[in-house]
Amino acid sequence: MSTNRHRFIIVCIVCCAALSPLVSQEVPRDIFLRARSASRPSETIRLLEEALPASGSLRPWFLLELARTEGLSGNWKKSRSWSELQDTDSLPEEIRDHYMYWYGRALEEEGLPDRALILYKTRIDSKRASEPFAYTGYLRIASTGAEGVITALDAAFPLYRHSDPEGFINSRYLAGLSAVREGNWVFAESMFARFLELSATVPSDSWTSLRPWASWYRGWTLYRLNRYTEAIRAFSVYIDGWPGHERTWQAATASVLAAVQSSSDPFVHADRAIRLAPTAADRDESRLLKASLLIDRNRFDEASNLLLAVADGTGSSTPGAAAPRALFMLADISFRTNRLDEAESRWRRIIDRYPRDQLAEEAQYRIAEQWHVAGEWNRATSAYVRYRQVWPSGRFIDSALLSGADAWYRQGDRDMAILWWEEYVRRFPAASALSRAYSGLLSAYRDKSEWTAALRIAEAWKARLPREASYENIDDHIAELKLIRNGQNPDSAALRSAWNRAGKAATAEGRTAGLRLARSLLADFSTRSEAKSILEEVVARSPEVPDALPVQDRITRASALSLLANVARDDGDYEQSARYFLSAGRYFAGLDGERSAEALYGAADSFLLAGKRGDARQTAETIRATWKDSVWAKRAAIFLSGVQ
């Protein structure tokens, strides 16, 4: 602004001299010259205040000079007060840009950027600006419209680049910053690139502080534009060009992420991030990032060495804020490598050492979950109970209640399972897994011969989730439970009668009745062969691709296939069992992901029992790829570790 300041001083002196007849003693020129030549700003201000007219055409000039002097002294509050004494309606046009500049700067410094922005925008929209101040002021603080304002600036001042090269180049930097705040990454990148290009050709002390920031921002904008290879190059230019700058660690870290996105080697950048980390805490963060990359590549030993340094503090001096996360990642490595006791020990270290850290809660849940996946029901229920006691309203309480109930049920404690499922239904009536809770409750109450309670659950399930309940033939359950409640015994003869009455397997209704009859017959070992024959009739002539079947008929056939698979496995026909399970999985797919995954898991297990390890492995891999977040995927991971 040095050229503009000289021009402004000359304008002030000339204009005030022209108006000198309005001053009774010293002429304005002498007052301005004496004020400016004063040795201290306070003396300058005293002279200007003494000569300040109470009114008249000279008053705006004196107020402006007072605002400028106070601003240069850093007294922005006083500078603002002088500007606010101006009568903007009578303000001479030739000083409006300078008034706006000093008033706007004072508003910015006083924490009122919104008011400054309105001031700048109003001047830009007037199209009467004779100086670039309004445009550069707007770009300095605005978060929108940078591209339009820089275009308007270049149109309003076509010779700006030649008349004030430093100001022109600086305006590109300001436009880049404004575009970053706006999220206009394409324009921001172009402005920073232009600034770096031009500032290299025009010497200025200003560039010492601005060029490293422009270099950093250019790399960041390229990263945000998903131009990862270019971003890595730009970050390297920045790091190598200004090795001590405050964002070099962030640039190295962003390079790691860019390398991952561009499928290039991230480790050279990860090592650089560790070296450049400014604090021990930042260095730990970089170690965690590198460890996560190693884990993704199954390089568990290398990852563990890094994580141990963070967890026990050997990488710095004492364990820092990242220690709980390092321990958590170590526990996860133990889980992935099927060292479950070690995983529990590491998760417990988080709980014991950092009980207030949010990872302590997740660690307790993961202990329960891992034993659930492993089928260790006693250890699972114990861990779920602990979670429920310590975090009764925790982030994972819904999953803990649902999975805990399942573990209690599989352990054989129907009463505890019922208590946990009932609490889940009461607390999470809109949960996506609500059907699983109802299904579990129905089974548990039936197992205990508590028919009235079972009927209550069946009717509530149908009322709340009719579509999902229909997949379990809920109407048949309700009809049967009503008969039992009324004192009748719907034995296999009644079920066989319904099977015959519905036309057996020739109709969808008959197939549903046959499924019910087969379930009843399977409860008695002496009638298992008859049950098997009925199930085979139900699934006979089932299409290879079930998509065209009605949903209910598809569910019936899938359920029959699952039962046949279990019968075949009990009979030692493992290959036939696997085929039935695969068909059941195909029929459940698209309707009930959990049951489809469960069927495929049964197929993998049967293949393994049949000695077909390759088929078992392929089936388990399908589960992991298709239902990544399900319990069955985690069981498949453990299963795979046993068949490697």
Side-chain angles (χ1 to χ4, degrees):
M1 140 144 198
S2 58
T3 303
N4 292 322
R5 182 183 296 170
H6 295 151
R7 186 185 306 134
F8 166 67
I9 294 170
I10 293 170
V11 168
C12 287
I13 293 172
V14 170
C15 291
C16 288
L19 297 170
S20 61
L22 299 177
V23 181
S24 59
Q25 298 177 0
E26 290 183 280
V27 297
R29 177 178 180 279
D30 293 338
I31 295 172
F32 270 79
L33 288 175
R34 189 152 61 91
R36 287 180 176 278
S37 63
S39 59
R40 298 186 306 277
S42 59
E43 179 66 14
T44 300
I45 292 167
R46 184 187 66 77
L47 291 170
L48 291 170
E49 284 184 319
E50 288 177 355
L52 175 65
S55 60
S57 57
L58 277 178
R59 181 175 172 79
W61 301 85
F62 277 82
L63 289 173
L64 175 60
E65 184 63 13
L66 283 164
R68 187 188 74 86
T69 304
E70 294 284 14
L72 290 173
S73 300
N75 190 352
W76 292 108
K77 183 176 182 180
K78 190 63 176 176
S79 175
R80 173 187 163 195
S81 68
W82 288 121
S83 293
E84 289 178 344
L85 290 175
Q86 293 278 20
D87 180 2
T88 55
D89 292 335
S90 61
L91 196 65
E93 186 63 33
E94 55 266 40
I95 64 171
R96 280 187 178 273
D97 286 316
H98 295 273
Y99 152 77
M100 177 218 61
Y101 173 82
W102 291 107
Y103 187 29
R105 285 298 309 277
L107 290 170
E108 291 179 49
E109 297 293 338
E110 288 286 289
L112 298 168
D114 291 343
R115 288 179 57 184
L117 202 61
I118 293 171
L119 189 70
Y120 299 143
K121 189 68 167 60
T122 301
R123 188 59 177 166
I124 292 170
D125 291 343
S126 74
K127 301 188 185 312
R128 301 179 66 181
S130 59
E131 299 286 353
F133 304 151
Y135 300 89
T136 55
Y138 180 92
L139 293 170
R140 187 168 52 249
I141 59 175
S143 300
T144 59
E147 191 167 1
V149 168
I150 205 71
T151 300
L153 170 62
D154 291 344
F157 302 94
L159 300 179
Y160 187 28
R161 179 179 177 184
H162 304 288
S163 62
D164 186 3
E166 185 175 342
F168 176 84
I169 296 170
N170 191 58
S171 70
R172 308 304 108 165
Y173 179 81
L174 293 175
L177 288 181
S178 181
V180 166
R181 292 191 292 269
E182 184 178 1
N184 186 349
W185 305 112
V186 172
F187 182 66
E189 190 278 328
S190 70
M191 287 294 98
F192 288 124
R194 185 69 170 145
F195 171 82
L196 290 167
E197 174 192 355
L198 294 175
S199 62
T201 65
V202 177
S204 172
D205 293 339
S206 301
W207 310 150
T208 302
S209 61
L210 297 186
R211 279 182 61 80
W213 280 110
S215 185
W216 149 255
Y217 276 118
R218 181 162 185 265
W220 181 243
T221 56
L222 288 167
Y223 178 84
R224 294 303 300 264
L225 289 168
N226 301 332
R227 291 160 60 181
Y228 299 118
T229 302
E230 295 173 81
I232 291 172
R233 284 198 297 267
F235 282 135
S236 294
V237 168
Y238 163 67
I239 293 170
D240 295 339
W242 295 276
H245 197 254
E246 63 185 86
R247 290 294 175 92
T248 52
W249 174 62
Q250 289 88 338
T253 303
S255 295
V256 177
L257 305 178
V260 171
Q261 295 290 342
S262 61
S263 300
S264 56
D265 181 13
F267 290 105
V268 62
H269 306 294
D271 290 334
R272 183 168 62 179
I274 293 172
R275 290 196 307 271
L276 294 176
T279 67
D282 293 332
R283 193 156 43 251
D284 283 346
E285 291 293 335
S286 294
R287 288 194 177 101
L288 292 184
L289 177 58
K290 183 179 179 181
S292 69
L293 297 173
L294 292 167
I295 291 170
D296 288 343
R297 290 156 177 78
N298 295 330
R299 293 162 61 178
F300 298 125
D301 289 342
E302 296 172 75
S304 294
N305 290 335
L306 273 175
L307 293 170
L308 285 168
V310 177
D312 60 21
T314 56
S316 51
S317 56
T318 58
R325 279 186 290 153
L327 272 174
F328 195 93
M329 293 170 71
L330 283 165
D332 194 56
I333 288 175
S334 300
F335 173 75
R336 289 186 182 211
T337 52
N338 204 28
R339 294 175 290 172
L340 302 187
D341 286 314
E342 181 181 79
E344 178 174 3
S345 175
R346 284 173 165 172
W347 273 315
R348 289 204 180 281
R349 283 173 63 191
I350 299 172
I351 298 167
D352 295 339
R353 290 185 182 182
Y354 311 101
R356 296 184 181 277
D357 193 288
Q358 64 175 0
L359 285 176
E361 176 191 353
E362 188 171 353
Q364 181 62 49
Y365 177 77
R366 288 293 300 274
I367 292 170
E369 185 184 48
Q370 77 162 13
W371 294 125
H372 192 173
V373 170
E376 294 277 356
W377 310 122
N378 288 340
R379 299 180 77 169
T381 53
S382 176
Y384 282 129
V385 167
R386 177 63 176 165
Y387 179 87
R388 187 183 179 198
Q389 289 173 340
V390 179
W391 293 278
S393 300
R395 290 176 294 147
F396 308 101
I397 188 61
D398 54 342
S399 297
L401 287 171
L402 189 64
S403 298
D406 180 71
W408 282 117
Y409 184 86
R410 293 173 184 273
Q411 187 178 324
D413 194 330
R414 301 299 193 257
D415 290 325
M416 290 299 294
I418 287 170
L419 285 174
W420 285 49
W421 271 320
E422 289 278 18
E423 182 176 348
Y424 179 87
V425 170
R426 185 178 69 256
R427 292 180 61 178
F428 305 101
S432 60
L434 190 61
S435 271
R436 286 177 57 196
Y438 275 127
S439 179
L441 279 168
L442 185 57
S443 296
Y445 278 127
R446 290 185 68 113
D447 291 347
K448 287 171 58 63
S449 299
E450 295 187 11
W451 310 114
T452 301
L455 178 59
R456 171 179 61 81
I457 290 299
E459 290 177 334
W461 188 6
K462 180 181 179 181
R464 186 170 291 177
L465 301 166
R467 181 170 175 269
E468 290 86 343
S470 69
Y471 296 159
E472 292 288 339
N473 302 306
I474 197 63
D475 288 333
D476 292 342
H477 281 290
I478 291 173
E480 181 182 350
L481 290 167
K482 284 182 176 178
L483 288 172
I484 297 172
R485 184 192 60 181
N486 294 332
Q488 298 184 39
N489 182 18
D491 56 14
S492 58
L495 294 173
R496 188 176 291 106
S497 173
W499 156 252
N500 292 325
R501 187 169 58 252
K504 296 190 175 181
T507 66
E509 182 183 357
R511 288 188 287 275
T512 300
L515 179 62
R516 292 179 59 211
L517 175 58
R519 281 178 172 152
S520 175
L521 294 171
L522 284 171
D524 187 346
F525 188 81
S526 65
T527 57
R528 283 172 61 83
S529 60
E530 183 183 0
K532 179 180 177 182
S533 297
I534 292 171
L535 291 170
E536 288 173 342
E537 191 173 347
V538 169
V539 301
R541 296 182 296 279
S542 292
E544 189 73 13
V545 179
D547 295 350
L549 292 175
V551 170
Q552 186 56 57
D553 194 32
R554 183 171 167 180
I555 291 291
T556 298
R557 294 173 191 259
S559 300
L561 286 164
S562 292
L563 290 175
L564 278 169
N566 285 312
V567 171
R569 183 164 58 185
D570 291 343
D571 291 342
D573 190 352
Y574 302 122
E575 290 189 35
Q576 182 61 57
S577 173
R579 286 193 289 271
Y580 278 138
F581 273 129
L582 287 175
S583 296
R586 187 167 59 254
Y587 268 64
F588 278 126
L591 297 177
D592 190 333
E594 285 288 322
R595 295 184 71 181
S596 182
E598 182 180 5
L600 288 185
Y601 188 88
D605 186 57
S606 294
F607 275 130
L608 186 61
L609 291 171
K612 295 194 170 186
R613 299 174 70 85
D615 291 339
R617 187 180 300 108
Q618 182 178 354
T619 305
E621 289 286 5
T622 299
I623 298 172
R624 290 184 65 191
T626 308
W627 296 280
K628 296 179 181 178
D629 298 323
S630 73
V631 168
W632 297 105
K634 294 175 181 177
R635 290 187 178 179
I638 296 175
F639 180 89
L640 283 168
S641 68
V643 297
Q644 294 299 332

